[in-house]
Amino acid sequence: MKKAGRCKYTKSVFGESMGAYKDIGLRLEVFGTRGSNPIFGDVYSKYGGSTSCYLVEANDGTKQEAIILDAGSGISNVKDLADYKQITILLSHPHLDHILGLPVFPYLGDKNRNIRIYLAKKCGLSAKEQIDTVFSQPYWPLKISDYPALVEIMDMPESFDIGGVHVDTMDSNHPGGSTIIRLALGESKLIYATDYEHGEPETERKLIEFSRDANLLLYDAQYMEDEYEKCRGYGHSTPEEGIKIKEKSGAKEIVFIHHSPEHNDLFLYESERRYTERAAHFAREGEVFYL
Ligand SMILES: [Zn+2]
Ligand SMILES: [Zn+2]
């Protein structure tokens, strides 16, 4: 795929499987790993302080698609999409940490760009009604229709296609609801399971099936096991619960996302070392995965 040169580094802890160049497949770049709120400072620089945002570039052999998972503060750094006239943004849900960067997404300012945003209906509100609420006075001075780009806002279907990429979705267990997203192209299958809390048996069973044989499972592990009890019901999970989903589903790799703003680099690094033998990893801003 094009633009491989812009990776800060390509994953190595998983060896060949996540680092190989493929003609047909998905390339994932991490722009925002943090949950709840952005955080700044040297002690967060390794894993990153921007909130949820992941760029997926999909190549089906003839055409490339740019798909952005969530528009947290990390989206303000997505600036290298000159080749894409059409950009698709899939929002898991409209909690502020997932849409914080949308008003300053650089490509909204480009009149030659078509931007399609998908978001599931929530609280009886369509995707457009939810977005229009945020892009309105007194919360923000511009309506989304005021931006130069041509923006379309769609209710997220359960199943649809973006070029050659097949998208499936399922409801997460999260206060107010969230959407777990699966992207599949050729032999590449990526699961984006952010803002998910374990412990609801039916959703858990469905997530295992949903993640069956995925190449990569991005999994909400905001809390460590010993922190979870006091945060039960907040809508997030833990590394051990993620590893259970990985093992039961046959997903090849798991990467933990939605890091707590209370967890600095040292804490995440030390936590990660506990899971190294089980091939689990905490996402770092700037890293790239080839699926
Ligand atoms: Zn969140
Ligand atoms: Zn949320």
Side-chain angles (χ1 to χ4, degrees), residues 36 93 97-98 195 236 258:
S36 303
H93 64 316
D97 51 327
H98 296 259
D195 294 64
H236 303 289
H258 209 272

Side-chain angles (χ1 to χ4, degrees), residues 34-37 51-52 70 92-93 95-98 174 178 192 194-196 220 222 235-236 258:
R34 206 54 67 167
S36 303
N37 59 269
T51 64
S52 304
D70 276 333
S92 60
H93 64 316
H95 281 173
L96 294 177
D97 51 327
H98 296 259
H174 189 68
S178 184
Y192 180 52
T194 193
D195 294 64
Y196 165 74
D220 178 340
Q222 175 151 349
H236 303 289
H258 209 272

Side-chain angles (χ1 to χ4, degrees), residues 67-138:
I67 301 169
I68 296 173
L69 301 170
D70 276 333
S73 63
I75 201 173
S76 60
N77 290 321
V78 179
K79 290 174 183 156
D80 195 13
L81 299 182
D83 295 342
Y84 299 99
K85 183 169 169 49
Q86 172 82 42
I87 297 167
T88 305
I89 300 175
L90 305 181
L91 298 176
S92 60
H93 64 316
H95 281 173
L96 294 177
D97 51 327
H98 296 259
I99 58 165
L100 189 57
L102 191 56
V104 294
F105 178 43
Y107 290 100
L108 280 175
D110 182 350
K111 67 177 172 37
N112 297 313
R113 218 57 70 148
N114 298 339
I115 298 173
R116 184 174 283 182
I117 301 170
Y118 286 93
L119 170 63
K121 287 184 188 166
K122 298 262 177 331
C123 304
L125 298 174
S126 69
K128 186 168 183 326
E129 287 166 331
Q130 294 172 63
I131 298 289
D132 284 348
T133 302
V134 179
F135 284 84
S136 68
Q137 299 277 17

Side-chain angles (χ1 to χ4, degrees), residues 13 66 84 289:
V13 296
Y84 299 99
F289 302 83

Side-chain angles (χ1 to χ4, degrees), residues 195-234:
D195 294 64
Y196 165 74
E197 181 164 356
H198 58 276
E200 207 281 297
E202 186 51 31
T203 312
E204 210 158 295
R205 187 197 59 73
K206 208 169 166 190
L207 179 57
I208 292 165
E209 277 316 304
F210 198 75
S211 308
R212 186 71 62 203
D213 301 324
N215 304 68
L216 176 59
L217 168 61
L218 296 175
Y219 185 88
D220 178 340
Q222 175 151 349
Y223 307 122
M224 298 304 133
E225 286 23 73
D226 59 348
E227 298 169 312
Y228 174 71
E229 210 38 57
K230 69 177 192 303
C231 303
R232 182 187 288 272
Y234 291 6

Side-chain angles (χ1 to χ4, degrees), residues 16 191 210 277:
E16 296 299 304
I191 312 294
F210 198 75
E277 280 181 13

Side-chain angles (χ1 to χ4, degrees), residues 2-187:
K2 293 181 204 169
K3 301 186 189 131
R6 94 180 175 213
C7 331
K8 287 182 191 161
Y9 58 93
T10 305
K11 288 281 299 95
S12 58
V13 296
F14 294 132
E16 296 299 304
S17 64
M18 305 308 288
Y21 170 94
K22 286 183 189 167
D23 287 336
I24 296 177
L26 303 173
R27 173 192 187 275
L28 171 78
E29 184 166 357
V30 178
F31 281 89
T33 59
R34 206 54 67 167
S36 303
N37 59 269
I39 189 113
F40 303 97
D42 289 349
V43 295
Y44 302 100
S45 62
K46 193 171 169 59
Y47 291 84
S50 302
T51 64
S52 304
C53 183
Y54 303 83
L55 169 66
V56 178
E57 290 175 277
N59 186 358
D60 69 3
T62 56
K63 197 166 165 278
Q64 291 198 121
E65 299 289 338
I67 301 169
I68 296 173
L69 301 170
D70 276 333
S73 63
I75 201 173
S76 60
N77 290 321
V78 179
K79 290 174 183 156
D80 195 13
L81 299 182
D83 295 342
Y84 299 99
K85 183 169 169 49
Q86 172 82 42
I87 297 167
T88 305
I89 300 175
L90 305 181
L91 298 176
S92 60
H93 64 316
H95 281 173
L96 294 177
D97 51 327
H98 296 259
I99 58 165
L100 189 57
L102 191 56
V104 294
F105 178 43
Y107 290 100
L108 280 175
D110 182 350
K111 67 177 172 37
N112 297 313
R113 218 57 70 148
N114 298 339
I115 298 173
R116 184 174 283 182
I117 301 170
Y118 286 93
L119 170 63
K121 287 184 188 166
K122 298 262 177 331
C123 304
L125 298 174
S126 69
K128 186 168 183 326
E129 287 166 331
Q130 294 172 63
I131 298 289
D132 284 348
T133 302
V134 179
F135 284 84
S136 68
Q137 299 277 17
Y139 308 108
W140 190 251
L142 299 175
K143 295 201 257 319
I144 195 122
S145 55
D146 293 334
Y147 285 82
L150 179 67
V151 182
E152 278 179 285
I153 301 172
M154 322 278 286
D155 292 334
M156 180 107 76
E158 205 176 310
S159 184
F160 58 107
D161 293 304
I162 303 168
V165 181
H166 187 67
V167 185
D168 288 297
T169 66
M170 62 168 273
D171 291 338
S172 182
N173 179 36
H174 189 68
S178 184
T179 304
I180 298 174
I181 296 166
R182 177 171 65 205
L183 303 180
L185 172 64
E187 294 179 351

